[in-house]
């Protein structure tokens, strides 16, 4: 092969390689950076997400979340009143007991007699826990039998502890009475007390003169 022909083939080969390399480089994808009006590239979505602050609930000043309008699902709202460090309305988890409500209110005042409270009782939504309050003593000569309230107990406002002052009413029946009035919007007559499970005609007759609406 002549030298001139060999040189021409080399030139053609070099041109073909250069042409192929150009198309290879031109076809590669490149990252595009979008800038704002000031020429600054905005942060990526992942960086923005990692930089976003995480909201955290802020507890109340006493370390317990005091109740806001409307209790959250799975919670009970109770009013702790009387001889406690911080009386008020508290929202507690469902299944809490009277002892938990006392702890939420800072505990009872020193020297307060809490023997009348059933601290192991489950809380009911909307009830009031009255700490340290005692029923007034009957007047001399009144002849009120021991264990019977001096005044009729309100079926629509009495707490479970107050209902237990009635003859034959223990913690279970007291909670049933409160649950019945919550489900039916309150009692409209004393006779409706007989609709509560566990209160028959004989017990209703004993309670009829000792309760009121």
């Amino acid at each position: 092969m002549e030298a001139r022909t060999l040189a021409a083939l080399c030139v053609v080969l070099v041109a073909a390689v250069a042409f192929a390399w150009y198309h290879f480089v031109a076809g590669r994808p490149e990252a595009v950076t979008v800038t704002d009006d000031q020429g600054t590239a905005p942060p990526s979505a992942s960086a923005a997400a990692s930089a976003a602050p995480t909201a955290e609930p802020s507890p109340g000043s006493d370390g317990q979340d005091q109740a806001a309008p409307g209790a959250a699902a799975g919670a009970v709202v109770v009013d702790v009143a009387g001889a406690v460090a911080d009386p008020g309305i508290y929202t507690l988890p469902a299944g809490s007991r009277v002892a938990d409500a006392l702890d939420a209110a800072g505990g009872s005042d020193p020297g307060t007699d809490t023997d009348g409270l059933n601290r192991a009782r489950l809380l009911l939504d909307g009830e009031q826990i009255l700490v340290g309050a005692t029923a007034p003593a009957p007047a001399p000569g009144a002849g009120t039998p021991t264990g019977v309230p001096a005044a009729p107990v309100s079926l629509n406002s009495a707490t479970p502890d107050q209902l237990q002052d009635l003859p034959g009413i223990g913690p279970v029946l007291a909670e049933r009475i409160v649950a019945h009035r919550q489900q039916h919007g309150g009692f409209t007559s004393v006779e409706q007390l007989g609709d509560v499970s566990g209160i028959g005609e004989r017990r209703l007759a004993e309670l009829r003169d000792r309760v009121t609406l």
Side-chain angles (χ1 to χ4, degrees), residues 150-163:
V153 176
S154 173
L155 293 175
N156 288 325
S157 62
T159 65
D161 290 326
Q162 292 170 335
L163 290 170

Side-chain angles (χ1 to χ4, degrees), residues 13 17 19 30 32 42 57 64 70-71 87 93 99 138 141 152 168 179 193:
L13 182 60
V17 172
F19 182 77
E30 296 181 2
V32 178
Q64 294 285 341
L193 190 59

Side-chain angles (χ1 to χ4, degrees), residues 74-153:
V76 291
V77 180
V78 294
D79 180 11
V80 185
V84 291
D86 190 11
I89 297 176
Y90 290 86
T91 300
L92 299 172
S96 297
R97 301 180 183 270
V98 172
D100 299 319
L102 293 178
D103 291 340
S108 58
D109 293 340
T112 301
D113 183 9
T114 58
D115 290 341
L117 289 176
N118 181 4
R119 284 165 286 185
R121 179 177 58 79
L122 290 173
L123 294 174
L124 297 175
D125 184 51
E127 74 167 293
Q128 182 186 62
I129 308 298
L130 193 58
V131 182
T134 57
T144 304
T146 303
V148 177
V153 176

Side-chain angles (χ1 to χ4, degrees), residues 160 162-175 177 193 198-199 203 207:
Q162 292 170 335
L163 290 170
Q164 291 179 48
D165 292 335
L166 294 168
I169 301 298
V172 175
L173 276 180
E175 292 184 9
I177 293 173
L193 190 59
I199 298 181
R203 183 162 294 169
L207 298 175

Side-chain angles (χ1 to χ4, degrees), residues 13-45:
L13 182 60
V14 170
V17 172
F19 182 77
W21 177 256
Y22 170 77
H23 280 280
F24 173 74
V25 173
R28 294 177 62 186
E30 296 181 2
V32 178
T33 302
V34 180
T35 60
D36 56 16
D37 295 340
Q38 288 73 29
T40 304
S44 63

